[in-house]
Amino acid sequence: MTEAELRGQLVELSASLFARGFSVGSAGNISARLPDGYLMTPTNSSLGRLDAARLSKLDDNFTHLAGDKPSKEVFMHRAFYRARPDAGAVVHLHSTMATAVACLEDVDPANPIPPLTPYFVMRIGRSMPVVPYYRPGDAAMEPAIHAAAKGARAILLANHGPVVSGANLRDAVHAAEELEEAAKLYLLLRGQATRTLTALQVEDLLRTFG
Ligand code: 13P
């Protein structure tokens, strides 16, 4: 995919997330890897109204090269790309259900949402840790996110929201959508006797779908 095509895809997928309520106001930020750096949504921009020509362009070290000033969460994105050489895109949202789970006290911080459905496991993987709270834009979050992302495609930032990576932009967006649905199911089912997938079923999914 050319840079122009990636810019167009980033604008289109961001607008789709916004239109369906996965982000509101100027919440959320999205980045995608280029052969020579990264594209990132500008700070304070709405995912619903991005301009392809004004997306932030960063070099390999995440130094701002062109376009509008990048998201204040550049450290969050850098932590993911450095921890996961397989990541082609990173999506951060404040989507309601996943953020609600990120506010719960009584979940396992190593894996707050159980394997309820195959697509959650296929898109997010075996685990999705909760990383402690940091003020949005705080560079101090980078080591904690880097450590967590080494073992997981997605994390929940406590009291803030999900950060999801994928092999490419479309995959990362699909994974973020699937995570939001899994969080919704989990919250709907809390307090009820629930059948989760077994460890064998989870391993079978990961073996088959990667
Ligand atoms: P930016 O507007 O700087 O991307 O920040 C939005 C956000 O979601 C903070 O977590």
Side-chain angles (χ1 to χ4, degrees):
M1 187 180 284
T2 65
E3 179 174 330
E5 287 167 343
L6 187 59
R7 283 174 182 267
Q9 188 186 52
L10 203 155
V11 171
E12 179 198 318
L13 291 175
S14 298
S16 166
L17 286 170
F18 187 85
R20 290 174 294 138
F22 286 88
S23 78
V24 298
S26 66
N29 34 73
I30 298 182
S31 64
R33 200 193 285 270
L34 290 165
D36 59 347
Y38 300 87
L39 287 176
M40 189 172 291
T41 52
T43 189
N44 295 325
S45 57
S46 165
L47 294 190
R49 290 178 286 275
L50 293 171
D51 178 343
R54 293 179 60 175
L55 293 176
S56 312
K57 184 157 181 191
L58 312 176
D59 71 10
D60 270 342
N61 282 316
F62 292 81
T63 302
H64 184 204
L65 291 178
D68 288 350
K69 187 176 173 208
S71 170
K72 69 173 82 62
E73 305 290 25
V74 65
F75 305 106
M76 170 199 290
H77 291 255
R78 187 166 73 178
F80 256 86
Y81 289 112
R82 290 192 170 162
R84 302 194 69 82
D86 61 330
V90 174
V91 174
H92 167 55
L93 299 171
H94 301 170
S95 52
T96 310
M97 302 298 168
T99 304
V101 175
C103 297
L104 290 175
E105 283 277 24
D106 61 343
V107 293
D108 174 2
N111 211 5
I113 300 181
L116 292 169
T117 65
Y119 265 71
F120 177 59
V121 174
M122 288 154 56
R123 298 284 186 210
I124 301 296
R126 199 177 272 108
S127 67
M128 180 190 57
V130 181
V131 169
Y133 175 81
Y134 289 88
R135 172 174 41 77
D138 186 352
M141 74 176 77
E142 188 165 355
I145 295 180
H146 185 270
K150 270 186 168 294
R153 287 179 223 165
I155 62 161
L156 288 183
L157 286 169
N159 297 79
H160 184 167
V163 192
V164 182
S165 66
N168 54 51
L169 185 55
R170 196 172 292 281
D171 280 3
V173 168
H174 286 172
E177 294 183 17
E178 206 61 55
L179 165 54
E180 181 66 2
E181 290 308 302
K184 191 189 293 180
L185 286 176
Y186 171 63
L187 294 171
L188 275 171
L189 292 167
R190 253 162 77 89
Q192 301 187 58
T194 303
R195 181 177 53 253
T196 66
L197 298 181
T198 65
L200 273 179
Q201 289 166 336
V202 168
E203 292 314 314
D204 172 57
L205 286 165
L206 294 174
R207 219 179 15 253
T208 309
F209 299 105

